Amino acid sequence: MSGATNRGRIAAAFACAFASAFALAQPAPEAATGYETKPALVAKRFAIVTANPLASDAGYEMLRRGGSAVDAAIAAQLVLNLVEPQSSGIGGGGFLLHYDARARRTAAYDGRETAPAGATPRLFLDADGKPIPFGAAIGSGRSVGVPGLVAMLDLAHRRHGILAWRELFAPAIRLAEEGFAISPRLAQLVARDPLLSRSPGARAYLFAADGAPKPAGTVLRNPEFAATLREIADRGPRAFYRGAIAADIARAVQGDPRGAGALTTGDLAAYEPMVREALCRDMREWRVCGMPPPSSGGIATIQMLAMLGRTGIASAAPDSAIAVHLFSQAGRLAFADRDRWVADPAFVAVPVAGLLNRSYLDQRATLIRPARPVIPAPAGEPPGAPRDAGAEREARDRPATSHLSVVDARGNAVSLTSSIESAFGNRTLVRGFFLNNELTDFSFVPEVDGKPVANRVQPGKRPRSSMSPTIVFDRAGRVSLVIGSPGGNWIINYVARTLVATLDRGESVKAAIDAPNFGSRNGPVELEAATPIAALASSLELLGDPVRIMPMTSGLAGIQRVPGGWLAAADPRREGAPRGE
């Protein structure tokens, strides 16, 4: 059967389904949401959106001074490390997607953490060969990977920076020394974290003398972090990866009383960021570019868009049961492939071309049903796939990670997602910043049915990620949309939902970001609590979908081309803000 014939049959089947399920295609009833929308910003020359107003101010300062998108992203990221230490920082890593307007080229910068040389596939197994509890793994030295953020930002700056490296550190150093007010979100996360108060450094920094969490509005100063930033500003990344800072990191990991890790100063000195080819595919009249492996975000997002394009989802009301039903099935299929096939390409033959092959996606789309979906969805067998990969299921919930989007006055763009993995990483504070627990993004079980799991722990390997920084281009090759989000492996659904809304339905990026979240990670349909979408639960259950209603705290940051400039919007669920002019 030809691909065109197959796509025609799929479309015909869904046309019949829509006709017979008109009631299910009606929008969800109006209801109050658990958050207030924020005003968007329309800018003519440049714009930046980050997860915190102080970070947006820092990036805006660099853009006003003639800096590049990379300059603004670095300045903002350093401030994010300070004002939302639960989410990202120099103790972790990230992925940066960059568009060079002059060269008309998109590059993917990989600053993902790596497993220490002393790590083994049994890293998260106990003496009996069983996985240790996830909470125990997070709160120990064994979860810490070699941080990659500083090296990645330096590499991107050497290629695309305009302002001096040292200048980019000034806003964060100033805030660290003079102090900033603890935000409501930071105060809330400190108060509810069960592990944080057990860390001596975190307790001294974020808790009062009586042991109570410092409340929102308290002025917080971090002179130790300011000193760390000064060293890196003056000496470059060498100050971080070699010498006293590296020694302190290794000492904290190896001496962790909750469980020693294997990270050494040699691991830090050996770290190298990577430049990869961006993963780009044509989608209708758009070209969508995302991160390649070890991130699963680019593959999964493009898979979902391609499969949904074969269902006619754009003709359904965006907040209807039918639309949610179809979107969730595409998510199940993409997550099934992600969990089986995607890992660090230096260690595993990831069948990227096969996973994005049109005929393969045609075949996968036939599994999207008008009713009674397959749950969980099976992984496919894409062209070029290895035959010895064990299947894996992973759907952990994490509130960390941060995202920022930038477009500068020259038309360059940055989409940067960064993380220390769990909230406050592994909760160890070293020289004013938290260390990551990114190694828990590996599969705890190295083999399934006697076959090695693609995302198992191996020395020097980068754990699979769901981070999905994305840049979309129009038919003329111009940047049309810069988008991304934090949110663990929910990120894929957050970004894909926004892309369906903006690209297929023509909504503004603000309307798309403000809309309720939903999707599936190859389990139940997850609906955002306290939003109108939650009222669809009974209709979805009639279609055969198990449903889970839950908070879904995305942190989308988007910039969209509009007539005369850029529309910049921040997610109302977090504390972000746009800036520009």
Side-chain angles (χ1 to χ4, degrees), residues 11-213:
F14 280 103
C16 293
F18 287 134
S20 63
F22 179 76
L24 293 178
Q26 300 310 298
E30 290 296 324
T33 62
Y35 51 84
E36 295 183 5
T37 63
K38 298 178 178 181
L41 177 146
V42 178
K44 292 184 178 181
R45 299 178 58 234
F46 53 75
I48 181 168
V49 186
T50 82
N52 185 282
L54 294 173
S56 296
D57 289 343
Y60 174 70
E61 179 183 334
M62 302 305 149
L63 292 170
R64 285 200 68 189
R65 291 166 54 188
S68 68
V70 164
D71 292 332
I74 294 171
Q77 176 60 66
L78 295 172
V79 171
L80 286 172
N81 189 155
L82 179 69
V83 300
E84 53 157 31
Q86 73 275 10
S87 296
S88 67
I90 62 175
F95 294 113
L96 187 155
L97 201 62
H98 179 267
Y99 173 67
D100 185 325
R102 184 174 181 180
R104 297 178 66 86
R105 181 176 180 272
T106 306
Y109 289 82
D110 179 347
R112 185 66 162 155
E113 298 86 346
T114 57
T120 74
R122 296 182 58 86
L123 179 66
F124 296 116
L125 300 181
D126 63 18
D128 296 324
K130 297 180 180 179
I132 64 174
F134 186 64
I138 287 176
S140 71
R142 71 173 75 187
S143 69
V144 182
V146 183
L149 187 68
V150 171
M152 181 192 74
L153 294 178
D154 171 70
L155 177 59
H157 180 260
R158 284 188 278 117
R159 294 191 173 201
H160 309 291
I162 293 175
L163 302 177
W165 172 258
R166 182 181 293 104
E167 295 178 54
L168 310 180
F169 287 71
I173 292 172
R174 183 172 62 247
L175 280 169
E177 290 180 333
E178 297 177 1
F180 65 95
I182 294 176
S183 73
R185 179 172 170 79
L186 174 56
Q188 181 186 62
L189 290 173
V190 170
R192 75 185 194 193
D193 192 288
L195 301 176
L196 201 59
S197 63
R198 303 176 194 174
S199 167
R203 190 167 57 248
Y205 182 46
L206 296 171
F207 293 79
D210 63 359

Side-chain angles (χ1 to χ4, degrees), residues 233-554:
D234 291 340
R235 297 173 48 217
R238 183 180 181 85
F240 183 85
Y241 290 97
R242 299 172 184 271
I245 297 175
D248 284 350
I249 293 172
R251 188 179 301 111
V253 172
Q254 294 171 24
D256 195 320
R258 303 163 299 176
L263 189 148
T264 68
T265 54
D267 292 317
L268 285 154
Y271 184 85
E272 292 288 343
M274 301 187 71
V275 183
R276 303 184 187 273
E277 184 177 350
L279 191 62
C280 300
R281 291 296 187 275
D282 293 330
M283 292 284 153
R284 279 74 87 187
E285 69 244 54
W286 311 99
R287 187 161 181 81
V288 179
C289 293
M291 283 299 306
S295 176
S296 61
I299 290 174
T301 300
I302 291 172
Q303 279 192 321
M304 290 177 70
L305 291 176
M307 290 186 286
L308 289 168
R310 291 150 171 80
T311 68
I313 191 174
S315 63
D319 52 357
S320 66
I322 285 291
V324 174
H325 178 69
L326 298 178
F327 183 86
S328 297
Q329 290 184 78
R332 290 187 185 110
L333 293 165
F335 269 82
D337 277 353
R338 164 195 183 273
D339 289 348
R340 182 165 186 183
W341 302 117
V342 181
D344 185 341
F347 290 78
V348 174
V350 183
V352 176
L355 288 166
L356 301 181
N357 177 275
R358 290 187 179 185
S359 296
Y360 173 72
L361 292 174
D362 279 348
Q363 179 270 323
R364 294 289 278 168
T366 64
L367 300 178
I368 299 177
R369 301 178 177 180
R372 307 300 167 194
V374 178
I375 306 171
E381 296 288 339
R387 299 301 174 193
D388 60 349
E392 174 192 7
R393 289 290 306 282
E394 182 262 311
R396 303 181 184 120
D397 303 344
R398 306 172 185 116
T401 308
S402 193
H403 181 83
L404 63 86
S405 295
V406 192
V407 176
D408 68 25
R410 300 166 186 82
N412 305 305
V414 163
S415 184
L416 167 61
T417 311
S418 56
S419 183
I420 53 173
E421 217 280 284
S422 178
F424 305 100
N426 92 325
R427 279 68 171 182
T428 298
L429 199 68
V430 175
R431 288 184 172 243
F433 60 89
F434 283 100
L435 298 181
N436 70 83
N437 66 289
E438 293 287 1
L439 298 189
T440 58
D441 268 351
F442 282 116
S443 173
F444 281 28
V445 178
E447 292 185 358
V448 174
D449 297 329
K451 297 179 179 180
V453 170
N455 191 42
R456 65 190 182 279
V457 181
Q458 292 175 272
K461 191 175 185 179
R462 298 170 191 238
R464 182 179 59 217
S465 170
S466 299
M467 291 187 275
S468 306
T470 304
I471 301 177
V472 179
F473 301 87
D474 63 18
R475 285 179 175 173
R478 303 178 304 171
V479 172
S480 178
L481 181 68
V482 185
I483 193 74
S485 179
N489 59 12
W490 282 322
I491 291 172
I492 291 167
N493 283 325
Y494 294 156
V495 172
R497 178 190 66 74
T498 307
L499 292 174
V500 169
T502 53
L503 306 186
D504 289 341
R505 295 197 178 100
E507 295 180 16
S508 73
V509 69
K510 173 175 167 46
I513 288 174
D514 288 350
N517 285 313
F518 55 83
S520 176
R521 297 173 290 169
N522 206 12
V525 173
E526 294 167 332
L527 304 175
E528 186 176 7
T531 71
I533 212 76
L536 297 178
S538 59
S539 295
L540 288 162
E541 288 168 349
L542 288 174
L543 291 170
D545 286 309
V547 174
R548 181 186 179 195
I549 298 173
M550 59 195 299
M552 300 178 75
T553 314
S554 55

